[in-house]
Amino acid sequence: MNKNLHKLFVISSPSGGGKTSLLKAFFEDEKAKNLIMSISYTTRKKREGDEEGKDYFFVSRDEFKIKEKNNDFLESANVFGNFYGTDKNFIFSKLKFSDVILELDWQGAESIKKIFKESILISLIPPSYQDLENRLRGRALDTDKTITKRLSESKIEVSKCLTFDFLILNDDFEKALLDLKDIIFKKLNPKEFKSRVTDDLLKNLLD
Ligand code: 5GP
């Protein structure tokens, strides 16, 4: 990555992994006020509570395709049957002045790491798949079919965390939030971070 640019953090987790709530709490910290959260484009239908231009820019498939053709995306991917893309201009303009956080699936994380070798990939690991299911059902925003689809892909997302720089265990909201703040505010090196994700847990999740 160009040395003049600030840091780019990518946060990924399986669906229901809790990244949105964690990031919301993270941005309530005074120290996060100079950090920028990227807003992606998506063809996904708006869910209850979603705000245009805050959560996403909601576009049709045709509009998405035009943006893709115009090379407007830094990366884009089909996630659970909908398209999502990161606005290239937004990222480059913001990185000149501040650190930027992206919330992406594993495909997006891999693409960003190829473009920005110094980007920092953070994966939120659930204590169990049951925990993901409880969260997806508890938030009651998706249909049964959508929840099943999202859960069926969670193992792939977990398997991809092995190449990430930091693994945060999201078994306890406050602990996970502290871990995230440590990594981002203290600009920790992966070797300085004591992850609570054990080899046994990963083995169980990947078996
Ligand atoms: P959701 O529909 O629940 O908001 O997001 C579904 C998944 O798409 C999440 O894993 C989220 O991190 C990911 N996602 C959101 N925006 C982007 C993007 O611009 N690119 C990629 N690759 N994934 C994204």
Side-chain angles (χ1 to χ4, degrees):
M1 195 184 338
N2 181 328
K3 291 275 182 277
N4 296 322
L5 297 181
H6 284 74
K7 287 208 182 300
L8 195 53
F9 295 93
V10 180
I11 307 200
S12 297
S13 78
S15 190
K19 52 190 179 307
T20 308
S21 336
L22 208 62
L23 281 167
K24 189 166 175 281
F26 173 85
F27 273 99
E28 280 163 11
D29 192 304
E30 181 68 8
K31 292 204 274 307
K33 73 175 193 304
N34 293 324
L35 276 130
I36 304 282
M37 185 77 210
S38 166
I39 304 161
S40 296
Y41 284 79
T42 184
T43 63
R44 165 167 81 62
K45 294 265 169 306
K46 251 191 200 174
R47 286 193 297 238
E48 203 186 314
D50 274 337
E51 275 183 56
E52 171 71 25
K54 183 168 175 279
D55 297 293
Y56 285 106
F57 294 106
F58 293 91
V59 292
S60 67
R61 288 201 172 211
D62 285 347
E63 286 169 318
F64 194 92
K65 276 195 194 126
I66 291 170
K67 290 188 84 51
E68 233 172 8
K69 220 166 135 197
N70 290 342
N71 208 13
D72 286 346
F73 295 131
L74 191 55
E75 65 74 40
S76 63
N78 181 331
V79 190
F80 314 127
N82 295 304
F83 294 98
Y84 296 80
T86 303
D87 186 329
K88 192 192 284 174
N89 282 340
F90 180 89
I91 301 297
F92 280 110
S93 62
K94 298 298 179 193
L95 271 179
K96 286 184 194 151
F97 305 101
S98 55
D99 293 344
V100 175
I101 301 184
L102 298 162
E103 186 195 322
L104 307 176
D105 84 318
W106 66 268
Q107 304 171 83
E110 280 190 355
S111 303
I112 292 294
K113 192 73 172 183
K114 278 190 196 133
I115 305 167
F116 299 97
K117 302 250 170 320
E118 291 164 35
S119 58
I120 295 150
L121 307 190
I122 303 169
S123 182
L124 280 188
I125 303 295
S128 66
Y129 292 113
Q130 188 60 52
D131 187 78
L132 294 179
E133 182 164 356
N134 293 346
R135 223 170 293 165
L136 285 175
R137 296 207 185 278
R139 71 185 189 188
L141 290 175
D142 300 298
T143 60
D144 255 6
K145 197 172 152 219
T146 303
I147 291 177
T148 306
K149 185 163 179 52
R150 287 178 173 237
L151 284 172
S152 72
E153 299 201 16
S154 51
K155 204 170 192 172
I156 302 176
E157 183 79 51
V158 173
S159 71
K160 298 293 176 178
C161 79
L162 301 174
T163 61
F164 278 47
D165 301 296
F166 293 95
L167 304 186
I168 296 180
L169 179 63
N170 197 8
D171 57 338
D172 175 296
F173 189 83
E174 291 306 325
K175 283 185 189 163
L177 183 59
L178 257 180
D179 282 345
L180 184 65
K181 287 183 179 180
D182 273 352
I183 293 167
I184 296 184
F185 295 149
K186 296 183 184 162
K187 302 240 161 78
L188 288 187
N189 180 302
K191 287 194 187 112
E192 297 171 303
F193 178 68
K194 179 96 189 69
S195 174
R196 293 181 303 109
V197 177
T198 61
D199 290 346
D200 279 352
L201 171 64
L202 278 182
K203 196 169 168 298
N204 277 341
L205 292 172
L206 295 174
D207 263 354

